[in-house]
Amino acid sequence: MRLYIYALLMLFSLNAAAQPLLTVEDAVAEALKNNYDIKLADNNLKIDQQNVSLANAGLLPNLYGSLSQNNSIQNSTQVRTDGTQQQLNNAKNNSLSYGVNLGWTIFDGFTMFAKYDQLKTLQRQGETELKFAITTTVADVMETYYTLVQQQQMLKALDTAVVISKQRVTTAKNRFSIGKASKLEVLNVEVDLNTDQTNYLKQLQEFKNTKTLLNQLLARDLTADFKVSDEVPTDDKLDLPTLMDMASKQNPQIQLALINKRVAELNLKQVKGARYPQVGVTTGYIFSESESSLGFARSNKGNGFSYGLTARINLFNGFLQNRNEKIARLQIQNTQVLIEQQTQEINTQLLTAFQTYLTNLDLVKLEASNVRIAEQNLDITMEKYRIGTITTLEVRTAQLNYVNALTRSSTAKLNAKLSEVGLNELAGNLKL
Protein backbone atom coordinates (compact mmCIF):
# COMPACT_ATOMS: atom_id res chain seq x y z
CA MET A 1 0.00 0.00 0.00
CA ARG A 2 2.85 2.38 0.77
CA LEU A 3 4.16 2.02 -2.79
CA TYR A 4 0.86 3.35 -4.11
CA ILE A 5 0.97 6.30 -1.71
CA TYR A 6 4.57 7.14 -2.57
CA ALA A 7 3.76 6.96 -6.28
CA LEU A 8 0.80 9.27 -5.72
CA LEU A 9 2.89 11.79 -3.81
CA MET A 10 5.51 11.76 -6.56
CA LEU A 11 2.79 12.44 -9.15
CA PHE A 12 1.40 15.25 -7.02
CA SER A 13 4.87 16.79 -6.71
CA LEU A 14 5.51 16.55 -10.46
CA ASN A 15 2.24 18.35 -11.19
CA ALA A 16 3.11 21.09 -8.70
CA ALA A 17 6.62 21.46 -10.11
CA ALA A 18 5.20 23.19 -13.19
CA GLN A 19 3.93 26.01 -10.93
CA PRO A 20 6.24 28.67 -9.45
CA LEU A 21 6.90 28.25 -5.74
CA LEU A 22 5.55 31.03 -3.56
CA THR A 23 7.17 31.05 -0.12
CA VAL A 24 5.57 32.81 2.82
CA GLU A 25 8.43 35.36 2.76
CA ASP A 26 7.74 36.09 -0.91
CA ALA A 27 4.02 36.46 -0.18
CA VAL A 28 4.66 38.92 2.67
CA ALA A 29 7.10 40.94 0.56
CA GLU A 30 4.63 41.17 -2.31
CA ALA A 31 1.82 42.21 0.05
CA LEU A 32 3.99 44.96 1.56
CA LYS A 33 4.57 46.31 -1.93
CA ASN A 34 1.09 45.95 -3.45
CA ASN A 35 -1.61 45.66 -0.78
CA TYR A 36 -4.26 48.38 -1.10
CA ASP A 37 -4.79 48.91 2.63
CA ILE A 38 -1.05 49.48 3.11
CA LYS A 39 -0.94 51.93 0.19
CA LEU A 40 -3.86 53.91 1.64
CA ALA A 41 -2.25 54.04 5.10
CA ASP A 42 1.07 55.09 3.53
CA ASN A 43 -0.60 57.92 1.61
CA ASN A 44 -2.40 59.07 4.76
CA LEU A 45 0.97 59.19 6.53
CA LYS A 46 2.39 61.33 3.72
CA ILE A 47 -0.52 63.74 4.19
CA ASP A 48 0.25 63.93 7.92
CA GLN A 49 3.91 64.60 7.12
CA GLN A 50 2.95 67.44 4.79
CA ASN A 51 0.76 68.95 7.50
CA VAL A 52 3.68 69.25 9.92
CA SER A 53 4.86 72.79 9.14
CA LEU A 54 5.36 76.05 11.01
CA ALA A 55 2.99 77.80 8.63
CA ASN A 56 0.20 75.28 9.22
CA ALA A 57 0.57 75.85 12.96
CA GLY A 58 0.34 79.65 12.51
CA LEU A 59 3.93 80.43 13.52
CA LEU A 60 4.92 82.23 10.31
CA PRO A 61 3.81 85.66 9.01
CA ASN A 62 1.47 86.18 6.07
CA LEU A 63 2.75 88.31 3.20
CA TYR A 64 0.29 89.34 0.51
CA GLY A 65 -0.16 91.89 -2.23
CA SER A 66 -3.27 94.07 -2.49
CA LEU A 67 -4.88 96.19 -5.19
CA SER A 68 -7.98 98.33 -4.91
CA GLN A 69 -9.54 100.61 -7.54
CA ASN A 70 -12.82 102.52 -7.14
CA ASN A 71 -14.57 104.69 -9.74
CA SER A 72 -17.70 106.82 -9.45
CA ILE A 73 -19.76 109.28 -11.50
CA GLN A 74 -21.86 111.65 -9.37
CA ASN A 75 -23.83 114.85 -9.53
CA SER A 76 -22.06 116.91 -6.83
CA THR A 77 -22.86 120.21 -5.08
CA GLN A 78 -20.39 121.83 -2.65
CA VAL A 79 -21.07 124.83 -0.39
CA ARG A 80 -17.93 126.47 0.92
CA THR A 81 -17.49 128.28 4.23
CA ASP A 82 -17.68 131.67 2.54
CA GLY A 83 -21.08 130.82 1.15
CA THR A 84 -20.07 130.26 -2.42
CA GLN A 85 -21.43 127.19 -4.14
CA GLN A 86 -20.04 124.81 -6.74
CA GLN A 87 -22.08 122.33 -8.69
CA LEU A 88 -21.02 119.73 -11.25
CA ASN A 89 -23.04 117.01 -12.93
CA ASN A 90 -21.46 113.71 -13.94
CA ALA A 91 -18.39 114.40 -11.85
CA LYS A 92 -15.84 111.59 -12.12
CA ASN A 93 -13.94 110.37 -9.05
CA ASN A 94 -11.22 107.70 -9.21
CA SER A 95 -9.05 106.14 -6.52
CA LEU A 96 -6.33 103.51 -6.81
CA SER A 97 -4.19 101.87 -4.12
CA TYR A 98 -1.80 98.94 -4.26
CA GLY A 99 1.05 97.55 -2.24
CA VAL A 100 2.52 94.74 -0.18
CA ASN A 101 1.26 93.93 3.30
CA LEU A 102 2.58 91.70 6.08
CA GLY A 103 0.63 90.39 9.07
CA TRP A 104 2.13 88.32 11.88
CA THR A 105 0.59 87.00 15.06
CA ILE A 106 3.45 87.11 17.54
CA PHE A 107 1.56 85.83 20.58
CA ASP A 108 -1.70 83.90 20.92
CA GLY A 109 -1.45 82.29 24.34
CA PHE A 110 0.99 79.58 23.13
CA THR A 111 -1.79 78.08 21.00
CA MET A 112 0.40 77.98 17.89
CA PHE A 113 3.11 76.01 19.70
CA ALA A 114 0.55 73.49 20.98
CA LYS A 115 -0.84 73.23 17.45
CA TYR A 116 2.62 72.48 16.05
CA ASP A 117 3.18 69.77 18.67
CA GLN A 118 -0.23 68.34 17.83
CA LEU A 119 0.63 68.16 14.12
CA LYS A 120 3.81 66.22 14.96
CA THR A 121 1.77 63.92 17.21
CA LEU A 122 -0.71 63.32 14.38
CA GLN A 123 2.24 62.33 12.21
CA ARG A 124 3.20 59.74 14.83
CA GLN A 125 -0.40 58.58 14.76
CA GLY A 126 -0.16 58.12 10.98
CA GLU A 127 3.04 56.11 11.41
CA THR A 128 1.34 53.87 13.96
CA GLU A 129 -1.72 53.43 11.74
CA LEU A 130 0.58 52.40 8.89
CA LYS A 131 2.27 49.88 11.18
CA PHE A 132 -1.15 48.59 12.21
CA ALA A 133 -2.19 48.19 8.56
CA ILE A 134 1.07 46.40 7.79
CA THR A 135 0.79 44.09 10.80
CA THR A 136 -2.83 43.22 10.04
CA THR A 137 -2.09 42.56 6.38
CA VAL A 138 0.98 40.43 7.12
CA ALA A 139 -1.02 38.38 9.63
CA ASP A 140 -3.80 37.88 7.06
CA VAL A 141 -1.30 36.84 4.41
CA MET A 142 0.46 34.38 6.71
CA GLU A 143 -2.80 32.87 7.94
CA THR A 144 -4.11 32.49 4.38
CA TYR A 145 -0.81 31.06 3.17
CA TYR A 146 -0.62 28.40 5.87
CA THR A 147 -4.29 27.61 5.36
CA LEU A 148 -3.34 26.85 1.75
CA VAL A 149 -0.54 24.58 2.94
CA GLN A 150 -3.00 22.70 5.18
CA GLN A 151 -5.52 22.41 2.35
CA GLN A 152 -2.77 21.08 0.10
CA GLN A 153 -2.01 18.44 2.71
CA MET A 154 -5.72 17.62 2.78
CA LEU A 155 -5.66 17.14 -0.99
CA LYS A 156 -2.79 14.69 -0.62
CA ALA A 157 -4.67 12.81 2.10
CA LEU A 158 -7.80 12.61 -0.03
CA ASP A 159 -5.70 11.56 -3.02
CA THR A 160 -4.37 8.77 -0.85
CA ALA A 161 -7.93 7.74 -0.04
CA VAL A 162 -8.77 7.65 -3.75
CA VAL A 163 -5.71 5.50 -4.53
CA ILE A 164 -6.57 3.07 -1.74
CA SER A 165 -10.18 2.84 -2.93
CA LYS A 166 -9.03 2.17 -6.50
CA GLN A 167 -6.80 -0.57 -5.17
CA ARG A 168 -9.77 -2.00 -3.24
CA VAL A 169 -11.91 -1.91 -6.38
CA THR A 170 -9.26 -3.82 -8.32
CA THR A 171 -8.90 -6.37 -5.54
CA ALA A 172 -12.67 -6.78 -5.18
CA LYS A 173 -13.13 -7.32 -8.91
CA ASN A 174 -10.35 -9.90 -8.96
CA ARG A 175 -11.94 -11.69 -6.01
CA PHE A 176 -15.34 -11.54 -7.73
CA SER A 177 -13.93 -12.97 -10.96
CA ILE A 178 -12.65 -16.03 -9.15
CA GLY A 179 -15.79 -16.42 -7.05
CA LYS A 180 -14.37 -15.34 -3.71
CA ALA A 181 -16.44 -12.16 -3.43
CA SER A 182 -19.99 -11.16 -4.20
CA LYS A 183 -21.16 -8.45 -6.59
CA LEU A 184 -22.41 -6.52 -3.55
CA GLU A 185 -18.85 -6.24 -2.24
CA VAL A 186 -17.70 -4.78 -5.57
CA LEU A 187 -20.56 -2.26 -5.59
CA ASN A 188 -19.83 -1.17 -2.02
CA VAL A 189 -16.18 -0.57 -2.85
CA GLU A 190 -17.14 1.44 -5.96
CA VAL A 191 -19.47 3.59 -3.85
CA ASP A 192 -16.57 4.25 -1.47
CA LEU A 193 -14.40 5.26 -4.43
CA ASN A 194 -17.03 7.69 -5.71
CA THR A 195 -17.34 9.20 -2.22
CA ASP A 196 -13.59 9.69 -1.99
CA GLN A 197 -13.46 11.33 -5.43
CA THR A 198 -16.31 13.66 -4.45
CA ASN A 199 -14.51 14.69 -1.27
CA TYR A 200 -11.35 15.33 -3.28
CA LEU A 201 -13.16 17.58 -5.77
CA LYS A 202 -14.77 19.60 -2.95
CA GLN A 203 -11.40 20.05 -1.28
CA LEU A 204 -9.84 21.06 -4.60
CA GLN A 205 -12.50 23.74 -5.03
CA GLU A 206 -11.80 25.10 -1.54
CA PHE A 207 -8.06 25.08 -2.28
CA LYS A 208 -8.54 27.09 -5.48
CA ASN A 209 -10.82 29.59 -3.72
CA THR A 210 -8.21 30.16 -1.02
CA LYS A 211 -5.60 30.73 -3.73
CA THR A 212 -7.80 33.46 -5.17
CA LEU A 213 -8.14 35.02 -1.72
CA LEU A 214 -4.36 35.06 -1.28
CA ASN A 215 -3.93 36.68 -4.70
CA GLN A 216 -6.40 39.34 -3.60
CA LEU A 217 -4.38 40.07 -0.46
CA LEU A 218 -1.25 40.36 -2.61
CA ALA A 219 -3.12 42.74 -4.96
CA ARG A 220 -2.09 40.84 -8.08
CA ASP A 221 -3.73 38.84 -10.88
CA LEU A 222 -6.47 36.80 -9.20
CA THR A 223 -5.86 33.89 -11.60
CA ALA A 224 -2.11 33.72 -10.94
CA ASP A 225 -1.16 30.10 -10.26
CA PHE A 226 1.51 29.01 -7.82
CA LYS A 227 2.45 26.28 -5.40
CA VAL A 228 3.08 26.60 -1.69
CA SER A 229 5.39 24.89 0.78
CA ASP A 230 4.68 21.36 1.97
CA GLU A 231 4.91 21.91 5.71
CA VAL A 232 3.63 24.29 8.37
CA PRO A 233 6.56 25.14 10.68
CA THR A 234 5.67 25.92 14.28
CA ASP A 235 7.58 27.87 16.90
CA ASP A 236 7.04 26.19 20.27
CA LYS A 237 9.25 28.64 22.21
CA LEU A 238 6.82 31.54 22.73
CA ASP A 239 6.72 32.89 26.29
CA LEU A 240 3.64 34.66 27.73
CA PRO A 241 5.40 37.23 29.99
CA THR A 242 7.66 38.26 27.10
CA LEU A 243 4.69 38.58 24.77
CA MET A 244 2.75 40.73 27.25
CA ASP A 245 5.74 42.99 27.79
CA MET A 246 6.20 43.45 24.04
CA ALA A 247 2.48 44.12 23.59
CA SER A 248 2.56 46.95 26.14
CA LYS A 249 5.34 48.62 24.14
CA GLN A 250 4.64 47.62 20.54
CA ASN A 251 0.97 46.77 20.05
CA PRO A 252 -0.33 49.33 17.51
CA GLN A 253 -3.78 49.58 19.10
CA ILE A 254 -2.33 50.42 22.52
CA GLN A 255 0.08 52.88 20.91
CA LEU A 256 -2.78 54.58 19.07
CA ALA A 257 -4.68 54.94 22.35
CA LEU A 258 -1.63 56.58 23.96
CA ILE A 259 -1.20 58.94 21.02
CA ASN A 260 -4.88 59.90 21.15
CA LYS A 261 -4.40 60.92 24.78
CA ARG A 262 -1.47 63.15 23.81
CA VAL A 263 -3.59 64.75 21.06
CA ALA A 264 -6.33 65.46 23.62
CA GLU A 265 -3.81 67.03 26.02
CA LEU A 266 -2.51 69.33 23.29
CA ASN A 267 -6.08 70.22 22.37
CA LEU A 268 -6.62 71.40 25.99
CA LYS A 269 -3.55 73.62 25.67
CA GLN A 270 -5.00 75.21 22.56
CA VAL A 271 -8.33 75.80 24.29
CA LYS A 272 -6.59 77.44 27.27
CA GLY A 273 -4.76 79.75 24.87
CA ALA A 274 -7.99 81.70 24.39
CA ARG A 275 -7.57 83.07 27.92
CA TYR A 276 -4.48 85.02 26.90
CA PRO A 277 -4.27 88.16 24.75
CA GLN A 278 -3.56 87.83 21.05
CA VAL A 279 -0.94 90.24 19.75
CA GLY A 280 -0.10 90.86 16.11
CA VAL A 281 1.96 93.25 14.05
CA THR A 282 1.21 94.59 10.59
CA THR A 283 3.30 96.48 8.09
CA GLY A 284 3.27 97.24 4.41
CA TYR A 285 4.29 99.56 1.60
CA ILE A 286 1.34 101.22 -0.15
CA PHE A 287 0.98 103.29 -3.30
CA SER A 288 -2.18 105.44 -3.57
CA GLU A 289 -3.61 107.70 -6.23
CA SER A 290 -6.95 109.54 -6.50
CA GLU A 291 -8.64 111.99 -8.87
CA SER A 292 -11.68 114.16 -8.25
CA SER A 293 -13.53 116.46 -10.68
CA LEU A 294 -14.79 118.76 -7.93
CA GLY A 295 -13.07 120.04 -4.83
CA PHE A 296 -9.95 121.80 -3.70
CA ALA A 297 -7.63 118.94 -4.79
CA ARG A 298 -8.18 117.54 -8.22
CA SER A 299 -5.62 114.74 -7.74
CA ASN A 300 -3.67 113.15 -4.91
CA LYS A 301 -0.74 110.72 -4.98
CA GLY A 302 1.19 109.09 -2.18
CA ASN A 303 3.39 106.13 -1.23
CA GLY A 304 5.11 104.90 1.89
CA PHE A 305 5.33 102.44 4.75
CA SER A 306 2.52 101.62 7.13
CA TYR A 307 2.88 99.72 10.37
CA GLY A 308 0.86 98.94 13.45
CA LEU A 309 0.20 96.75 16.43
CA THR A 310 -3.02 94.95 17.28
CA ALA A 311 -4.01 93.30 20.53
CA ARG A 312 -7.21 91.72 21.75
CA ILE A 313 -8.26 89.70 24.77
CA ASN A 314 -11.46 87.89 25.52
CA LEU A 315 -13.06 89.37 28.65
CA PHE A 316 -16.35 87.51 28.59
CA ASN A 317 -17.99 85.15 26.10
CA GLY A 318 -20.92 83.77 28.07
CA PHE A 319 -18.82 81.24 30.02
CA LEU A 320 -17.98 79.39 26.79
CA GLN A 321 -14.30 79.32 27.76
CA ASN A 322 -15.01 77.35 30.94
CA ARG A 323 -17.31 75.04 29.03
CA ASN A 324 -14.68 74.35 26.34
CA GLU A 325 -11.98 73.62 28.92
CA LYS A 326 -14.22 71.22 30.85
CA ILE A 327 -15.04 69.34 27.64
CA ALA A 328 -11.33 69.15 26.75
CA ARG A 329 -10.50 67.72 30.20
CA LEU A 330 -13.29 65.13 29.87
CA GLN A 331 -11.87 64.12 26.49
CA ILE A 332 -8.51 63.50 28.16
CA GLN A 333 -10.23 61.35 30.80
CA ASN A 334 -11.96 59.39 28.05
CA THR A 335 -8.65 58.70 26.30
CA GLN A 336 -7.18 57.41 29.58
CA VAL A 337 -10.16 55.07 29.99
CA LEU A 338 -9.67 53.87 26.41
CA ILE A 339 -5.98 53.16 27.12
CA GLU A 340 -6.90 51.02 30.12
CA GLN A 341 -9.69 49.31 28.17
CA GLN A 342 -7.47 48.59 25.16
CA THR A 343 -4.67 47.27 27.36
CA GLN A 344 -7.08 45.01 29.22
CA GLU A 345 -8.54 43.72 25.98
CA ILE A 346 -5.13 43.00 24.44
CA ASN A 347 -3.95 41.20 27.59
CA THR A 348 -7.17 39.15 27.64
CA GLN A 349 -6.65 38.14 24.02
CA LEU A 350 -3.04 37.25 24.75
CA LEU A 351 -3.96 35.04 27.72
CA THR A 352 -6.68 33.15 25.87
CA ALA A 353 -4.63 32.86 22.67
CA PHE A 354 -1.60 31.59 24.58
CA GLN A 355 -3.65 28.87 26.27
CA THR A 356 -5.02 27.87 22.86
CA TYR A 357 -1.46 27.90 21.52
CA LEU A 358 -0.27 25.48 24.24
CA THR A 359 -3.23 23.17 23.63
CA ASN A 360 -2.58 23.16 19.89
CA LEU A 361 1.09 22.27 20.43
CA ASP A 362 0.00 19.25 22.49
CA LEU A 363 -2.47 18.29 19.79
CA VAL A 364 0.27 18.43 17.13
CA LYS A 365 2.28 15.82 19.03
CA LEU A 366 -0.76 13.66 19.75
CA GLU A 367 -2.07 13.70 16.17
CA ALA A 368 1.39 12.91 14.76
CA SER A 369 1.38 9.77 16.91
CA ASN A 370 -2.15 8.94 15.72
CA VAL A 371 -1.04 9.19 12.09
CA ARG A 372 1.73 6.64 12.66
CA ILE A 373 -0.66 4.26 14.41
CA ALA A 374 -3.37 4.68 11.74
CA GLU A 375 -0.85 4.06 8.95
CA GLN A 376 0.38 0.85 10.56
CA ASN A 377 -3.20 -0.27 11.09
CA LEU A 378 -4.04 0.42 7.43
CA ASP A 379 -1.00 -1.51 6.19
CA ILE A 380 -1.98 -4.57 8.22
CA THR A 381 -5.64 -4.27 7.19
CA MET A 382 -4.82 -4.06 3.46
CA GLU A 383 -2.58 -7.13 3.66
CA LYS A 384 -5.37 -9.07 5.35
CA TYR A 385 -7.83 -7.85 2.71
CA ARG A 386 -5.64 -9.13 -0.09
CA ILE A 387 -5.60 -12.62 1.38
CA GLY A 388 -9.31 -12.46 2.15
CA THR A 389 -9.24 -12.69 5.94
CA ILE A 390 -11.00 -9.39 6.64
CA THR A 391 -14.27 -7.80 5.59
CA THR A 392 -14.72 -4.76 3.32
CA LEU A 393 -16.28 -2.79 6.17
CA GLU A 394 -13.17 -3.28 8.30
CA VAL A 395 -10.98 -2.12 5.42
CA ARG A 396 -13.10 1.00 4.93
CA THR A 397 -12.93 1.76 8.65
CA ALA A 398 -9.14 1.52 8.64
CA GLN A 399 -8.98 3.64 5.50
CA LEU A 400 -11.17 6.38 7.00
CA ASN A 401 -9.26 6.26 10.25
CA TYR A 402 -6.05 6.91 8.36
CA VAL A 403 -7.49 9.81 6.32
CA ASN A 404 -9.08 11.32 9.42
CA ALA A 405 -5.79 11.04 11.29
CA LEU A 406 -4.01 12.89 8.47
CA THR A 407 -6.76 15.53 8.50
CA ARG A 408 -6.58 16.06 12.25
CA SER A 409 -2.79 16.21 12.14
CA SER A 410 -2.68 18.86 9.43
CA THR A 411 -5.46 20.81 11.15
CA ALA A 412 -3.60 20.71 14.46
CA LYS A 413 -0.44 22.05 12.80
CA LEU A 414 -2.43 24.81 11.13
CA ASN A 415 -4.18 25.79 14.37
CA ALA A 416 -0.85 25.90 16.19
CA LYS A 417 0.58 28.15 13.47
CA LEU A 418 -2.46 30.43 13.49
CA SER A 419 -2.14 30.74 17.28
CA GLU A 420 1.53 31.60 16.89
CA VAL A 421 0.79 34.25 14.24
CA GLY A 422 -2.03 35.70 16.35
CA LEU A 423 0.17 35.97 19.43
CA ASN A 424 2.96 37.69 17.52
CA GLU A 425 0.43 40.04 15.94
CA LEU A 426 -0.93 41.04 19.36
CA ALA A 427 2.60 41.54 20.64
CA GLY A 428 3.52 43.65 17.61
CA ASN A 429 6.29 41.16 16.90
CA LEU A 430 5.44 39.77 13.46
CA LYS A 431 8.48 39.25 11.27
CA LEU A 432 7.91 41.63 8.35
Side-chain angles (χ1 to χ4, degrees):
M1 190 274 296
R2 289 183 180 179
L3 292 176
Y4 283 94
I5 295 176
Y6 293 153
L8 172 66
L9 294 179
M10 288 296 295
L11 179 62
F12 198 95
S13 300
L14 289 174
N15 290 335
Q19 304 168 354
L21 174 65
L22 178 70
T23 65
V24 67
E25 293 82 9
D26 293 337
V28 168
E30 195 163 349
L32 292 177
K33 181 174 65 174
N34 299 331
N35 183 266
Y36 298 121
D37 290 335
I38 293 178
K39 286 184 177 180
L40 289 173
D42 185 51
N43 285 338
N44 289 334
L45 173 59
K46 291 176 181 177
I47 293 173
D48 293 334
Q49 291 170 339
Q50 291 296 318
N51 284 332
V52 180
S53 67
L54 297 176
N56 198 24
L59 286 163
L60 298 182
N62 294 317
L63 182 65
Y64 58 93
S66 64
L67 171 67
S68 175
Q69 182 176 19
N70 296 299
N71 304 305
S72 67
I73 300 176
Q74 297 179 335
N75 298 325
S76 300
T77 300
Q78 291 183 348
V79 179
R80 298 179 178 177
T81 57
D82 60 0
T84 60
Q85 178 176 310
Q86 282 187 326
Q87 183 175 353
L88 182 63
N89 293 330
N90 298 322
K92 294 183 178 180
N93 301 298
N94 303 315
S95 66
L96 173 67
S97 67
Y98 57 93
V100 178
N101 302 275
L102 181 144
W104 191 1
T105 300
I106 58 176
F107 182 75
D108 64 350
F110 308 104
T111 298
M112 63 182 75
F113 298 101
K115 176 66 174 176
Y116 187 65
D117 288 340
Q118 189 178 64
L119 291 173
K120 291 190 289 185
T121 304
L122 290 175
Q123 178 182 338
R124 286 178 48 215
Q125 184 182 62
E127 293 169 352
T128 305
E129 288 173 346
L130 174 59
K131 180 181 177 182
F132 182 53
I134 290 174
T135 301
T136 301
T137 300
V138 169
D140 290 343
V141 168
M142 295 179 71
E143 290 173 359
T144 305
Y145 182 90
Y146 287 117
T147 298
L148 265 178
V149 175
Q150 188 265 347
Q151 290 176 352
Q152 181 175 264
Q153 293 173 345
M154 285 289 298
L155 281 175
K156 292 180 180 179
L158 293 174
D159 262 344
T160 301
V162 171
V163 169
I164 295 173
S165 292
K166 287 181 177 179
Q167 181 184 1
R168 289 175 55 207
V169 168
T170 300
T171 302
K173 287 182 177 180
N174 290 337
R175 285 162 52 84
F176 175 73
S177 64
I178 61 176
K180 290 189 175 182
S182 64
K183 182 64 175 179
L184 180 60
E185 180 178 332
V186 176
L187 294 175
N188 285 334
V189 174
E190 289 179 340
V191 169
D192 292 341
L193 174 60
N194 291 337
T195 300
D196 293 337
Q197 290 174 331
T198 299
N199 292 335
Y200 175 82
L201 291 175
K202 289 181 178 179
Q203 183 61 45
L204 181 61
Q205 175 188 338
E206 187 174 351
F207 179 71
K208 291 181 177 179
N209 289 342
T210 307
K211 268 191 174 182
T212 301
L213 178 59
L214 182 57
N215 283 331
Q216 179 190 7
L217 289 172
L218 303 186
R220 64 178 187 173
D221 182 7
L222 296 177
T223 61
D225 203 6
F226 57 92
K227 64 178 180 178
V228 294
S229 303
D230 295 326
E231 293 295 331
V232 179
T234 304
D235 181 7
D236 58 356
K237 306 298 183 182
L238 296 183
D239 177 69
L240 181 59
T242 303
L243 290 170
M244 296 186 73
D245 180 64
M246 287 191 294
S248 65
K249 300 174 182 177
Q250 300 177 176
N251 181 271
Q253 292 169 286
I254 294 178
Q255 295 304 308
L256 283 173
L258 291 169
I259 292 173
N260 286 334
K261 182 182 179 183
R262 179 58 180 163
V263 171
E265 291 170 346
L266 292 170
N267 181 64
L268 176 60
K269 284 188 176 182
Q270 294 179 63
V271 172
K272 284 183 175 181
R275 289 188 176 275
Y276 296 87
Q278 295 186 8
V279 181
V281 294
T282 60
T283 186
Y285 195 89
I286 304 298
F287 296 85
S288 64
E289 181 180 340
S290 64
E291 295 181 355
S292 176
S293 298
L294 184 65
F296 290 104
R298 295 297 181 92
S299 65
N300 184 28
K301 294 182 179 180
N303 62 281
F305 283 102
S306 65
Y307 54 90
L309 177 70
T310 62
R312 62 185 297 269
I313 186 170
N314 175 37
L315 299 177
F316 179 73
N317 64 352
F319 304 107
L320 288 179
Q321 182 63 31
N322 290 336
R323 167 188 171 275
N324 293 338
E325 290 183 16
K326 288 180 180 179
I327 291 176
R329 289 190 179 93
L330 288 172
Q331 288 173 337
I332 294 175
Q333 293 178 17
N334 281 344
T335 57
Q336 180 60 41
V337 172
L338 289 174
I339 290 173
E340 296 172 1
Q341 181 187 39
Q342 192 66 62
T343 302
Q344 182 81 345
E345 183 176 342
I346 295 299
N347 287 337
T348 300
Q349 292 179 21
L350 276 171
L351 284 169
T352 56
F354 190 76
Q355 184 56 54
T356 303
Y357 165 75
L358 294 178
T359 301
N360 288 331
L361 289 180
D362 291 337
L363 288 174
V364 168
K365 297 176 183 177
L366 177 61
E367 296 301 342
S369 175
N370 286 337
V371 168
R372 291 191 295 269
I373 295 172
E375 184 178 7
Q376 293 176 4
N377 180 60
L378 182 60
D379 286 338
I380 296 172
T381 301
M382 290 301 295
E383 290 299 325
K384 289 184 177 181
Y385 180 65
R386 289 190 188 93
I387 61 178
T389 60
I390 198 171
T391 65
T392 302
L393 179 60
E394 290 174 306
V395 176
R396 183 59 175 174
T397 300
Q399 179 186 4
L400 292 178
N401 285 340
Y402 178 64
V403 173
N404 290 337
L406 290 175
T407 301
R408 290 195 307 270
S409 178
S410 63
T411 301
K413 292 178 181 178
L414 173 64
N415 289 338
K417 189 63 181 181
L418 296 183
S419 298
E420 174 195 328
V421 172
L423 286 168
N424 283 322
E425 180 184 5
L426 289 170
N429 193 45
L430 273 180
K431 300 298 185 295
L432 306 181

